[in-house]
Structure formats: structure tokens, C-alpha cells
Amino acid sequence: MTILPPNSTIGIVGGGQLGRMIGQAASRLGYRVHVFTDQAGSSAAQITDQATVAAYDDLDAMRRFAQAVDVVTIEFENLPVEGLQAIASDVSVCPSPDVLAVCQDRLKEKQFLQSLDVPTAPFAAVSTAAELKSAITTLGAPSVLKTRRMGYDGKGQVMIQADDDLDAAWHTLRGSESVLEGFVTFEREMSVITARTADGEKASYVPVENQHEHHILAKTIAPAPIPDSQATAAVALAERIADGLDLVGIVAVEMFQTFEGDILVNELAPRPHNSGHWTIDACLVSQFEQVVRAITGLPLGAPERFADAKMDNLLGDAAEAWLDLIKQPNSRLHLYGKTPIRPGRKQGHITTLRLPTAPS
Ligand code: AMP
């Protein structure tokens, strides 16, 4: 892959905090940043003077954007793939639209994982109430019914218990094409983030533990408190997935660790991930810089950490305590400039490092 030199323009589709932090990393390395966002004044667009504000399915706007940039990446995967496919002959799009097509559809994603022999929860495709009934007979209850598309932070999914009314459950998801998954009794949720270049070079961060509240990530603990053998196995799975996708960029692999020590992959996100925010402060090269390096053809940076860390998300009002938060020892506060503050909205995060004690 040819190297895009500094001063080239990186196009980021999506206006959220992930785009903002990719932009900040790109800008530190001397790249220009052009954000394509459907909302004026969005978090990512605030940090660059080059922004296209248009609907994500506006093909003309997407083509003009492609003309203005040297490479395109994305900051969320639920985008219309057609627009990115249309520009992929003019400009390099990383990750490729094919990767997005897999990762934005839970059924395709599960089938892809199965094709790589990556363990997942047992699952069945469900597109009618009758199929739901037969899938429950096979997978049993409890199970989790999830829409194939547009589900995130627990949206578009419903738990099904043994004596639930299946017609009512089917109705809750408004008859969307779905996947039924067997319920996994897990000891912890984890993720591994792996960056990969076009040449197949890979760099993975240590597995982290993720704690959710109301289906939204609340806290990440780096590293996850798991035996080395399991950490090695988790990283190997993530790297197999990155290779299987022929990924150029970064992928976050969300996993369940069962009480028996098995690791099951739950979900893939082919972009920087909330559970990798700690890497900005605890690693020499963050997940955001790795994306920039991967898509510009630069060598990846070292993913090793120089301190253990925990990351707390600041949801809704929690970010209003910024003046207290900024005084917390061994911590760095990150705010995303998102207005208005809404309950559950990701307004920022704070990373706290466990620094080695200074010699006396
Ligand atoms: P997802 O949207 O697939 O990431 O699911 C959101 C959250 O729901 C996960 O982080 C888990 O806490 C929980 N969850 C999802 N699928 C399952 C499952 N098959 N078994 C148990 N818990 C699940």
C-alpha cells in the first residue's frame, strides 16, 4: 500500500465522539481531516474546518466528499453501504464496504464467525413468529431475540423467558428480521481491539473487562483480570477475525467469558470502540492513532500499555461534574462537546491510571 504523507486529507464518515478522536489523532500526525456528518455542529465536525453536512444516503454529497479526501474511514457501522460502495472506485475506503456489510447484520456476522470456527452463542435466523417458535424449541429459554440490523447499546433486542408469549415478543421487534441467540451465563464481558494493515501486520491491545449498566458501557478495566492463557486465546480469536475480514483499520471484538473459561464472540465493531478509550492515556499509540496508521499505510504502533487503567464513561448529567472530575488524581478527563446533554448520552469519559509509585 502506498503511504499517504502528512497533509493528506482523511475523510471520516460519522460525526460522533469516535470521529472526533480519530480526527484528533490524525491531526497530531499532521493530517487534515474532513468529516461527513448528518448533523451540523456534531462532535467530530467541531475539531475540523472541513465538514460535509448531508444525509448519509445523499449519493451526490458522498461523491463530492470522496473527491475532497485521500482516504475514507468510518466511525460507526450502521451506514448505508451503497454510498460507500459508490465511492470505493474513486478513493480507498477502509474498512471496505464488504466488511461493513458483514458487521452491520447480526446474522451475516454470526455466519462469518462460524465460517472461521470462532465460537459464538448458539443462534438461529428468525423472520416470522412461526420461525421464532421453532427456534425456541431448538435453543431453549432464556434466549435473546435481536434484530439483524441497527441494534446497539441493547436497542432492538428482547429477552425471552420460558413462559413468555412468543407472539408478543415477536411484536416487540415489529417483525424485523432477527436472530435468536441462546442466553450465555457469563462471568465477564471482555473485548479485544486489533488493528490491521493492508499487508496483514496486526497489533492487538490487551483484553479488557467491560461492565455495562442498562445495556450501555459504564466501565472498562484494562487489563481484564483473566489468566494469561485466556488472554492469549482472546487475542488469537480477534486476530483471526481481523485476518478473516481482510481488514484495513481496526476491529473491536466483544466477547463473553463463561464460568467454564470458554470465550464466545458476541459482536464485532470495525472501528474504534468505547472499550479502547483508555489506550489514549495508557498506551504510547492509541486505538485512534492505529486507525490513522492503518489507513494511511504507515506501520502500526506498539499497543503495549505503560500503566493499568480504568475508564469510566460519563453519561448524561455525569459530565456536569467536570470541575471535580478534572481534579481527580492520576486521571485525564475527555469531553466530547455534545449538546444538549440527554440521559444516557455519552458526553465524555475519564481514564484513571494505576501509575507505578514513585521511588522514595
Ligand atoms: P449486544 O447488543 O449484542 O452487544 O448486547 C448488549 C448486551 O446484552 C451485551 O453486552 C450483554 O450484556 C447482553 N447480551 C447480549 N447477548 C447476550 C446473550 N446471548 N447472552 C447473554 N447476554 C447477552
PDB file of all heavy atoms in Angstrom, residues 256-290:
ATOM      1  N   PHE A 256     -17.856 -12.881  25.462  1.00  0.00           N
ATOM      2  CA  PHE A 256     -18.293 -13.344  26.782  1.00  0.00           C
ATOM      3  C   PHE A 256     -17.272 -14.362  27.262  1.00  0.00           C
ATOM      4  O   PHE A 256     -16.897 -15.261  26.493  1.00  0.00           O
ATOM      5  CB  PHE A 256     -19.642 -14.061  26.698  1.00  0.00           C
ATOM      6  CG  PHE A 256     -20.773 -13.222  26.170  1.00  0.00           C
ATOM      7  CD1 PHE A 256     -21.584 -13.698  25.143  1.00  0.00           C
ATOM      8  CD2 PHE A 256     -21.060 -11.974  26.705  1.00  0.00           C
ATOM      9  CE1 PHE A 256     -22.651 -12.950  24.653  1.00  0.00           C
ATOM     10  CE2 PHE A 256     -22.119 -11.217  26.217  1.00  0.00           C
ATOM     11  CZ  PHE A 256     -22.913 -11.701  25.195  1.00  0.00           C
ATOM     12  N   GLN A 257     -16.869 -14.260  28.524  1.00  0.00           N
ATOM     13  CA  GLN A 257     -16.060 -15.323  29.129  1.00  0.00           C
ATOM     14  C   GLN A 257     -16.985 -16.094  30.059  1.00  0.00           C
ATOM     15  O   GLN A 257     -17.599 -15.513  30.956  1.00  0.00           O
ATOM     16  CB  GLN A 257     -14.897 -14.719  29.924  1.00  0.00           C
ATOM     17  CG  GLN A 257     -13.998 -15.782  30.502  1.00  0.00           C
ATOM     18  CD  GLN A 257     -13.245 -15.296  31.736  1.00  0.00           C
ATOM     19  OE1 GLN A 257     -13.539 -14.240  32.272  1.00  0.00           O
ATOM     20  NE2 GLN A 257     -12.301 -16.090  32.171  1.00  0.00           N
ATOM     21  N   THR A 258     -17.135 -17.393  29.812  1.00  0.00           N
ATOM     22  CA  THR A 258     -18.063 -18.181  30.623  1.00  0.00           C
ATOM     23  C   THR A 258     -17.368 -18.637  31.913  1.00  0.00           C
ATOM     24  O   THR A 258     -16.139 -18.554  32.029  1.00  0.00           O
ATOM     25  CB  THR A 258     -18.547 -19.434  29.862  1.00  0.00           C
ATOM     26  OG1 THR A 258     -17.434 -20.310  29.707  1.00  0.00           O
ATOM     27  CG2 THR A 258     -19.131 -19.072  28.502  1.00  0.00           C
ATOM     28  N   PHE A 259     -18.170 -19.154  32.841  1.00  0.00           N
ATOM     29  CA  PHE A 259     -17.605 -19.646  34.103  1.00  0.00           C
ATOM     30  C   PHE A 259     -16.695 -20.852  33.867  1.00  0.00           C
ATOM     31  O   PHE A 259     -15.831 -21.157  34.670  1.00  0.00           O
ATOM     32  CB  PHE A 259     -18.726 -19.979  35.100  1.00  0.00           C
ATOM     33  CG  PHE A 259     -19.362 -18.739  35.662  1.00  0.00           C
ATOM     34  CD1 PHE A 259     -20.525 -18.221  35.091  1.00  0.00           C
ATOM     35  CD2 PHE A 259     -18.788 -18.072  36.735  1.00  0.00           C
ATOM     36  CE1 PHE A 259     -21.103 -17.065  35.601  1.00  0.00           C
ATOM     37  CE2 PHE A 259     -19.360 -16.910  37.247  1.00  0.00           C
ATOM     38  CZ  PHE A 259     -20.518 -16.411  36.676  1.00  0.00           C
ATOM     39  N   GLU A 260     -16.891 -21.529  32.748  1.00  0.00           N
ATOM     40  CA  GLU A 260     -16.029 -22.687  32.421  1.00  0.00           C
ATOM     41  C   GLU A 260     -14.731 -22.229  31.760  1.00  0.00           C
ATOM     42  O   GLU A 260     -13.867 -23.054  31.433  1.00  0.00           O
ATOM     43  CB  GLU A 260     -16.748 -23.643  31.447  1.00  0.00           C
ATOM     44  CG  GLU A 260     -17.988 -24.328  32.008  1.00  0.00           C
ATOM     45  CD  GLU A 260     -19.200 -23.408  32.089  1.00  0.00           C
ATOM     46  OE1 GLU A 260     -19.423 -22.628  31.137  1.00  0.00           O
ATOM     47  OE2 GLU A 260     -19.908 -23.453  33.115  1.00  0.00           O
ATOM     48  N   GLY A 261     -14.604 -20.915  31.516  1.00  0.00           N
ATOM     49  CA  GLY A 261     -13.364 -20.413  30.896  1.00  0.00           C
ATOM     50  C   GLY A 261     -13.426 -20.375  29.379  1.00  0.00           C
ATOM     51  O   GLY A 261     -12.433 -20.077  28.718  1.00  0.00           O
ATOM     52  N   ASP A 262     -14.601 -20.668  28.797  1.00  0.00           N
ATOM     53  CA  ASP A 262     -14.717 -20.567  27.337  1.00  0.00           C
ATOM     54  C   ASP A 262     -14.890 -19.097  26.937  1.00  0.00           C
ATOM     55  O   ASP A 262     -15.417 -18.288  27.707  1.00  0.00           O
ATOM     56  CB  ASP A 262     -15.941 -21.347  26.826  1.00  0.00           C
ATOM     57  CG  ASP A 262     -15.785 -22.834  27.069  1.00  0.00           C
ATOM     58  OD1 ASP A 262     -14.632 -23.308  27.029  1.00  0.00           O
ATOM     59  OD2 ASP A 262     -16.806 -23.507  27.324  1.00  0.00           O
ATOM     60  N   ILE A 263     -14.481 -18.811  25.725  1.00  0.00           N
ATOM     61  CA  ILE A 263     -14.663 -17.449  25.205  1.00  0.00           C
ATOM     62  C   ILE A 263     -15.568 -17.533  23.982  1.00  0.00           C
ATOM     63  O   ILE A 263     -15.282 -18.271  23.036  1.00  0.00           O
ATOM     64  CB  ILE A 263     -13.312 -16.820  24.816  1.00  0.00           C
ATOM     65  CG1 ILE A 263     -12.413 -16.715  26.056  1.00  0.00           C
ATOM     66  CG2 ILE A 263     -13.519 -15.435  24.210  1.00  0.00           C
ATOM     67  CD1 ILE A 263     -10.985 -16.328  25.739  1.00  0.00           C
ATOM     68  N   LEU A 264     -16.678 -16.791  24.037  1.00  0.00           N
ATOM     69  CA  LEU A 264     -17.629 -16.749  22.920  1.00  0.00           C
ATOM     70  C   LEU A 264     -17.644 -15.327  22.374  1.00  0.00           C
ATOM     71  O   LEU A 264     -17.701 -14.367  23.151  1.00  0.00           O
ATOM     72  CB  LEU A 264     -19.042 -17.114  23.397  1.00  0.00           C
ATOM     73  CG  LEU A 264     -19.195 -18.441  24.152  1.00  0.00           C
ATOM     74  CD1 LEU A 264     -20.642 -18.635  24.597  1.00  0.00           C
ATOM     75  CD2 LEU A 264     -18.760 -19.603  23.263  1.00  0.00           C
ATOM     76  N   VAL A 265     -17.600 -15.198  21.064  1.00  0.00           N
ATOM     77  CA  VAL A 265     -17.630 -13.850  20.485  1.00  0.00           C
ATOM     78  C   VAL A 265     -19.076 -13.407  20.321  1.00  0.00           C
ATOM     79  O   VAL A 265     -19.917 -14.143  19.786  1.00  0.00           O
ATOM     80  CB  VAL A 265     -16.864 -13.810  19.146  1.00  0.00           C
ATOM     81  CG1 VAL A 265     -17.103 -12.486  18.430  1.00  0.00           C
ATOM     82  CG2 VAL A 265     -15.378 -14.016  19.401  1.00  0.00           C
ATOM     83  N   ASN A 266     -19.365 -12.192  20.800  1.00  0.00           N
ATOM     84  CA  ASN A 266     -20.733 -11.668  20.721  1.00  0.00           C
ATOM     85  C   ASN A 266     -20.920 -10.740  19.530  1.00  0.00           C
ATOM     86  O   ASN A 266     -21.886 -10.872  18.793  1.00  0.00           O
ATOM     87  CB  ASN A 266     -21.080 -10.932  22.024  1.00  0.00           C
ATOM     88  CG  ASN A 266     -22.453 -10.283  21.965  1.00  0.00           C
ATOM     89  OD1 ASN A 266     -23.387 -10.858  21.404  1.00  0.00           O
ATOM     90  ND2 ASN A 266     -22.577  -9.083  22.508  1.00  0.00           N
ATOM     91  N   GLU A 267     -19.991  -9.811  19.338  1.00  0.00           N
ATOM     92  CA  GLU A 267     -20.247  -8.771  18.343  1.00  0.00           C
ATOM     93  C   GLU A 267     -18.940  -8.177  17.838  1.00  0.00           C
ATOM     94  O   GLU A 267     -17.948  -8.152  18.570  1.00  0.00           O
ATOM     95  CB  GLU A 267     -21.051  -7.659  19.032  1.00  0.00           C
ATOM     96  CG  GLU A 267     -22.035  -7.028  18.132  1.00  0.00           C
ATOM     97  CD  GLU A 267     -22.852  -5.936  18.800  1.00  0.00           C
ATOM     98  OE1 GLU A 267     -22.580  -5.558  19.944  1.00  0.00           O
ATOM     99  OE2 GLU A 267     -23.766  -5.466  18.117  1.00  0.00           O
ATOM    100  N   LEU A 268     -18.968  -7.673  16.602  1.00  0.00           N
ATOM    101  CA  LEU A 268     -17.791  -7.020  16.021  1.00  0.00           C
ATOM    102  C   LEU A 268     -18.113  -5.563  15.699  1.00  0.00           C
ATOM    103  O   LEU A 268     -19.208  -5.265  15.228  1.00  0.00           O
ATOM    104  CB  LEU A 268     -17.387  -7.702  14.701  1.00  0.00           C
ATOM    105  CG  LEU A 268     -17.239  -9.223  14.709  1.00  0.00           C
ATOM    106  CD1 LEU A 268     -16.872  -9.713  13.307  1.00  0.00           C
ATOM    107  CD2 LEU A 268     -16.182  -9.646  15.718  1.00  0.00           C
ATOM    108  N   ALA A 269     -17.144  -4.696  15.925  1.00  0.00           N
ATOM    109  CA  ALA A 269     -17.294  -3.297  15.513  1.00  0.00           C
ATOM    110  C   ALA A 269     -16.032  -2.913  14.744  1.00  0.00           C
ATOM    111  O   ALA A 269     -14.951  -2.854  15.334  1.00  0.00           O
ATOM    112  CB  ALA A 269     -17.482  -2.400  16.731  1.00  0.00           C
ATOM    113  N   PRO A 270     -16.137  -2.679  13.425  1.00  0.00           N
ATOM    114  CA  PRO A 270     -14.930  -2.437  12.616  1.00  0.00           C
ATOM    115  C   PRO A 270     -14.506  -0.972  12.647  1.00  0.00           C
ATOM    116  O   PRO A 270     -14.401  -0.310  11.616  1.00  0.00           O
ATOM    117  CB  PRO A 270     -15.390  -2.859  11.217  1.00  0.00           C
ATOM    118  CG  PRO A 270     -16.841  -2.505  11.196  1.00  0.00           C
ATOM    119  CD  PRO A 270     -17.356  -2.672  12.601  1.00  0.00           C
ATOM    120  N   ARG A 271     -14.254  -0.485  13.847  1.00  0.00           N
ATOM    121  CA  ARG A 271     -13.956   0.942  14.080  1.00  0.00           C
ATOM    122  C   ARG A 271     -13.435   1.050  15.508  1.00  0.00           C
ATOM    123  O   ARG A 271     -13.519   0.084  16.261  1.00  0.00           O
ATOM    124  CB  ARG A 271     -15.241   1.763  13.928  1.00  0.00           C
ATOM    125  CG  ARG A 271     -16.355   1.139  14.765  1.00  0.00           C
ATOM    126  CD  ARG A 271     -17.445   2.062  15.145  1.00  0.00           C
ATOM    127  NE  ARG A 271     -18.559   1.356  15.751  1.00  0.00           N
ATOM    128  CZ  ARG A 271     -18.673   1.051  17.034  1.00  0.00           C
ATOM    129  NH1 ARG A 271     -17.697   1.354  17.896  1.00  0.00           N
ATOM    130  NH2 ARG A 271     -19.736   0.426  17.494  1.00  0.00           N
ATOM    131  N   PRO A 272     -12.902   2.233  15.882  1.00  0.00           N
ATOM    132  CA  PRO A 272     -12.512   2.371  17.294  1.00  0.00           C
ATOM    133  C   PRO A 272     -13.731   2.108  18.178  1.00  0.00           C
ATOM    134  O   PRO A 272     -14.880   2.272  17.750  1.00  0.00           O
ATOM    135  CB  PRO A 272     -12.063   3.817  17.404  1.00  0.00           C
ATOM    136  CG  PRO A 272     -11.785   4.259  16.014  1.00  0.00           C
ATOM    137  CD  PRO A 272     -12.669   3.466  15.119  1.00  0.00           C
ATOM    138  N   HIS A 273     -13.466   1.718  19.420  1.00  0.00           N
ATOM    139  CA  HIS A 273     -14.561   1.269  20.283  1.00  0.00           C
ATOM    140  C   HIS A 273     -14.435   1.941  21.639  1.00  0.00           C
ATOM    141  O   HIS A 273     -13.333   2.225  22.108  1.00  0.00           O
ATOM    142  CB  HIS A 273     -14.448  -0.249  20.433  1.00  0.00           C
ATOM    143  CG  HIS A 273     -15.630  -0.921  21.040  1.00  0.00           C
ATOM    144  ND1 HIS A 273     -15.648  -1.361  22.336  1.00  0.00           N
ATOM    145  CD2 HIS A 273     -16.838  -1.229  20.513  1.00  0.00           C
ATOM    146  CE1 HIS A 273     -16.811  -1.934  22.579  1.00  0.00           C
ATOM    147  NE2 HIS A 273     -17.560  -1.865  21.487  1.00  0.00           N
ATOM    148  N   ASN A 274     -15.584   2.132  22.261  1.00  0.00           N
ATOM    149  CA  ASN A 274     -15.625   2.763  23.587  1.00  0.00           C
ATOM    150  C   ASN A 274     -14.701   2.044  24.580  1.00  0.00           C
ATOM    151  O   ASN A 274     -14.086   2.674  25.431  1.00  0.00           O
ATOM    152  CB  ASN A 274     -17.084   2.737  24.066  1.00  0.00           C
ATOM    153  CG  ASN A 274     -17.398   3.681  25.209  1.00  0.00           C
ATOM    154  OD1 ASN A 274     -18.556   3.920  25.493  1.00  0.00           O
ATOM    155  ND2 ASN A 274     -16.400   4.223  25.886  1.00  0.00           N
ATOM    156  N   SER A 275     -14.570   0.726  24.439  1.00  0.00           N
ATOM    157  CA  SER A 275     -13.745  -0.015  25.393  1.00  0.00           C
ATOM    158  C   SER A 275     -12.245   0.151  25.113  1.00  0.00           C
ATOM    159  O   SER A 275     -11.422  -0.428  25.819  1.00  0.00           O
ATOM    160  CB  SER A 275     -14.106  -1.500  25.367  1.00  0.00           C
ATOM    161  OG  SER A 275     -13.747  -2.068  24.121  1.00  0.00           O
ATOM    162  N   GLY A 276     -11.904   0.973  24.102  1.00  0.00           N
ATOM    163  CA  GLY A 276     -10.484   1.237  23.821  1.00  0.00           C
ATOM    164  C   GLY A 276     -10.090   2.675  24.116  1.00  0.00           C
ATOM    165  O   GLY A 276      -8.968   3.086  23.803  1.00  0.00           O
ATOM    166  N   HIS A 277     -10.975   3.435  24.742  1.00  0.00           N
ATOM    167  CA  HIS A 277     -10.645   4.845  25.004  1.00  0.00           C
ATOM    168  C   HIS A 277      -9.453   4.985  25.955  1.00  0.00           C
ATOM    169  O   HIS A 277      -8.689   5.943  25.883  1.00  0.00           O
ATOM    170  CB  HIS A 277     -11.854   5.589  25.584  1.00  0.00           C
ATOM    171  CG  HIS A 277     -12.958   5.810  24.586  1.00  0.00           C
ATOM    172  ND1 HIS A 277     -12.890   5.365  23.290  1.00  0.00           N
ATOM    173  CD2 HIS A 277     -14.157   6.443  24.700  1.00  0.00           C
ATOM    174  CE1 HIS A 277     -13.999   5.706  22.642  1.00  0.00           C
ATOM    175  NE2 HIS A 277     -14.778   6.350  23.480  1.00  0.00           N
ATOM    176  N   TRP A 278      -9.307   4.009  26.854  1.00  0.00           N
ATOM    177  CA  TRP A 278      -8.197   4.063  27.820  1.00  0.00           C
ATOM    178  C   TRP A 278      -6.844   4.082  27.120  1.00  0.00           C
ATOM    179  O   TRP A 278      -5.847   4.546  27.669  1.00  0.00           O
ATOM    180  CB  TRP A 278      -8.282   2.848  28.764  1.00  0.00           C
ATOM    181  CG  TRP A 278      -8.081   1.533  28.051  1.00  0.00           C
ATOM    182  CD1 TRP A 278      -9.016   0.826  27.343  1.00  0.00           C
ATOM    183  CD2 TRP A 278      -6.858   0.795  27.924  1.00  0.00           C
ATOM    184  NE1 TRP A 278      -8.459  -0.304  26.792  1.00  0.00           N
ATOM    185  CE2 TRP A 278      -7.130  -0.349  27.136  1.00  0.00           C
ATOM    186  CE3 TRP A 278      -5.565   0.979  28.418  1.00  0.00           C
ATOM    187  CZ2 TRP A 278      -6.159  -1.290  26.818  1.00  0.00           C
ATOM    188  CZ3 TRP A 278      -4.594   0.042  28.090  1.00  0.00           C
ATOM    189  CH2 TRP A 278      -4.894  -1.080  27.309  1.00  0.00           C
ATOM    190  N   THR A 279      -6.777   3.582  25.864  1.00  0.00           N
ATOM    191  CA  THR A 279      -5.491   3.498  25.167  1.00  0.00           C
ATOM    192  C   THR A 279      -4.923   4.884  24.850  1.00  0.00           C
ATOM    193  O   THR A 279      -3.732   5.026  24.634  1.00  0.00           O
ATOM    194  CB  THR A 279      -5.606   2.682  23.857  1.00  0.00           C
ATOM    195  OG1 THR A 279      -6.521   3.343  22.956  1.00  0.00           O
ATOM    196  CG2 THR A 279      -6.113   1.263  24.131  1.00  0.00           C
ATOM    197  N   ILE A 280      -5.777   5.913  24.853  1.00  0.00           N
ATOM    198  CA  ILE A 280      -5.264   7.270  24.597  1.00  0.00           C
ATOM    199  C   ILE A 280      -4.271   7.652  25.698  1.00  0.00           C
ATOM    200  O   ILE A 280      -3.237   8.256  25.439  1.00  0.00           O
ATOM    201  CB  ILE A 280      -6.405   8.321  24.586  1.00  0.00           C
ATOM    202  CG1 ILE A 280      -7.453   7.993  23.540  1.00  0.00           C
ATOM    203  CG2 ILE A 280      -5.852   9.723  24.393  1.00  0.00           C
ATOM    204  CD1 ILE A 280      -8.658   8.954  23.572  1.00  0.00           C
ATOM    205  N   ASP A 281      -4.616   7.287  26.925  1.00  0.00           N
ATOM    206  CA  ASP A 281      -3.829   7.759  28.065  1.00  0.00           C
ATOM    207  C   ASP A 281      -2.847   6.732  28.604  1.00  0.00           C
ATOM    208  O   ASP A 281      -1.926   7.086  29.329  1.00  0.00           O
ATOM    209  CB  ASP A 281      -4.785   8.205  29.189  1.00  0.00           C
ATOM    210  CG  ASP A 281      -5.717   9.295  28.702  1.00  0.00           C
ATOM    211  OD1 ASP A 281      -5.207  10.264  28.102  1.00  0.00           O
ATOM    212  OD2 ASP A 281      -6.943   9.172  28.879  1.00  0.00           O
ATOM    213  N   ALA A 282      -3.058   5.450  28.305  1.00  0.00           N
ATOM    214  CA  ALA A 282      -2.233   4.416  28.934  1.00  0.00           C
ATOM    215  C   ALA A 282      -1.313   3.694  27.957  1.00  0.00           C
ATOM    216  O   ALA A 282      -0.521   2.850  28.366  1.00  0.00           O
ATOM    217  CB  ALA A 282      -3.129   3.391  29.636  1.00  0.00           C
ATOM    218  N   CYS A 283      -1.400   4.019  26.674  1.00  0.00           N
ATOM    219  CA  CYS A 283      -0.548   3.348  25.684  1.00  0.00           C
ATOM    220  C   CYS A 283       0.165   4.419  24.854  1.00  0.00           C
ATOM    221  O   CYS A 283      -0.368   5.517  24.668  1.00  0.00           O
ATOM    222  CB  CYS A 283      -1.387   2.481  24.738  1.00  0.00           C
ATOM    223  SG  CYS A 283      -2.318   1.190  25.580  1.00  0.00           S
ATOM    224  N   LEU A 284       1.323   4.089  24.351  1.00  0.00           N
ATOM    225  CA  LEU A 284       2.051   5.074  23.537  1.00  0.00           C
ATOM    226  C   LEU A 284       1.258   5.403  22.280  1.00  0.00           C
ATOM    227  O   LEU A 284       1.231   6.545  21.835  1.00  0.00           O
ATOM    228  CB  LEU A 284       3.416   4.527  23.134  1.00  0.00           C
ATOM    229  CG  LEU A 284       4.521   4.759  24.153  1.00  0.00           C
ATOM    230  CD1 LEU A 284       5.819   4.161  23.636  1.00  0.00           C
ATOM    231  CD2 LEU A 284       4.696   6.244  24.443  1.00  0.00           C
ATOM    232  N   VAL A 285       0.641   4.398  21.712  1.00  0.00           N
ATOM    233  CA  VAL A 285      -0.142   4.608  20.486  1.00  0.00           C
ATOM    234  C   VAL A 285      -1.574   4.152  20.757  1.00  0.00           C
ATOM    235  O   VAL A 285      -1.808   2.997  21.127  1.00  0.00           O
ATOM    236  CB  VAL A 285       0.491   3.831  19.313  1.00  0.00           C
ATOM    237  CG1 VAL A 285      -0.399   3.901  18.083  1.00  0.00           C
ATOM    238  CG2 VAL A 285       1.867   4.410  19.003  1.00  0.00           C
ATOM    239  N   SER A 286      -2.509   5.063  20.598  1.00  0.00           N
ATOM    240  CA  SER A 286      -3.906   4.776  20.944  1.00  0.00           C
ATOM    241  C   SER A 286      -4.608   4.032  19.811  1.00  0.00           C
ATOM    242  O   SER A 286      -4.119   3.978  18.675  1.00  0.00           O
ATOM    243  CB  SER A 286      -4.650   6.084  21.197  1.00  0.00           C
ATOM    244  OG  SER A 286      -4.885   6.733  19.949  1.00  0.00           O
ATOM    245  N   GLN A 287      -5.811   3.524  20.129  1.00  0.00           N
ATOM    246  CA  GLN A 287      -6.603   2.873  19.076  1.00  0.00           C
ATOM    247  C   GLN A 287      -6.911   3.851  17.937  1.00  0.00           C
ATOM    248  O   GLN A 287      -7.009   3.447  16.777  1.00  0.00           O
ATOM    249  CB  GLN A 287      -7.909   2.312  19.653  1.00  0.00           C
ATOM    250  CG  GLN A 287      -8.845   3.346  20.256  1.00  0.00           C
ATOM    251  CD  GLN A 287     -10.281   2.816  20.468  1.00  0.00           C
ATOM    252  OE1 GLN A 287     -10.633   1.745  19.986  1.00  0.00           O
ATOM    253  NE2 GLN A 287     -11.101   3.557  21.199  1.00  0.00           N
ATOM    254  N   PHE A 288      -7.035   5.124  18.249  1.00  0.00           N
ATOM    255  CA  PHE A 288      -7.383   6.102  17.208  1.00  0.00           C
ATOM    256  C   PHE A 288      -6.190   6.324  16.268  1.00  0.00           C
ATOM    257  O   PHE A 288      -6.344   6.421  15.056  1.00  0.00           O
ATOM    258  CB  PHE A 288      -7.836   7.410  17.860  1.00  0.00           C
ATOM    259  CG  PHE A 288      -9.053   7.216  18.716  1.00  0.00           C
ATOM    260  CD1 PHE A 288      -8.959   7.129  20.105  1.00  0.00           C
ATOM    261  CD2 PHE A 288     -10.297   7.066  18.137  1.00  0.00           C
ATOM    262  CE1 PHE A 288     -10.081   6.909  20.885  1.00  0.00           C
ATOM    263  CE2 PHE A 288     -11.427   6.850  18.903  1.00  0.00           C
ATOM    264  CZ  PHE A 288     -11.318   6.775  20.285  1.00  0.00           C
ATOM    265  N   GLU A 289      -5.003   6.394  16.861  1.00  0.00           N
ATOM    266  CA  GLU A 289      -3.811   6.562  16.018  1.00  0.00           C
ATOM    267  C   GLU A 289      -3.586   5.305  15.172  1.00  0.00           C
ATOM    268  O   GLU A 289      -3.138   5.394  14.025  1.00  0.00           O
ATOM    269  CB  GLU A 289      -2.589   6.864  16.885  1.00  0.00           C
ATOM    270  CG  GLU A 289      -1.363   7.135  16.030  1.00  0.00           C
ATOM    271  CD  GLU A 289      -0.151   7.624  16.807  1.00  0.00           C
ATOM    272  OE1 GLU A 289      -0.330   8.279  17.851  1.00  0.00           O
ATOM    273  OE2 GLU A 289       0.974   7.337  16.360  1.00  0.00           O
ATOM    274  N   GLN A 290      -3.904   4.131  15.724  1.00  0.00           N
ATOM    275  CA  GLN A 290      -3.718   2.896  14.933  1.00  0.00           C
ATOM    276  C   GLN A 290      -4.581   2.934  13.674  1.00  0.00           C
ATOM    277  O   GLN A 290      -4.140   2.502  12.602  1.00  0.00           O
ATOM    278  CB  GLN A 290      -4.087   1.640  15.750  1.00  0.00           C
ATOM    279  CG  GLN A 290      -3.258   1.408  16.986  1.00  0.00           C
ATOM    280  CD  GLN A 290      -1.845   0.889  16.739  1.00  0.00           C
ATOM    281  OE1 GLN A 290      -1.202   1.275  15.777  1.00  0.00           O
ATOM    282  NE2 GLN A 290      -1.357   0.054  17.636  1.00  0.00           N
TER     283      GLN A 290
END
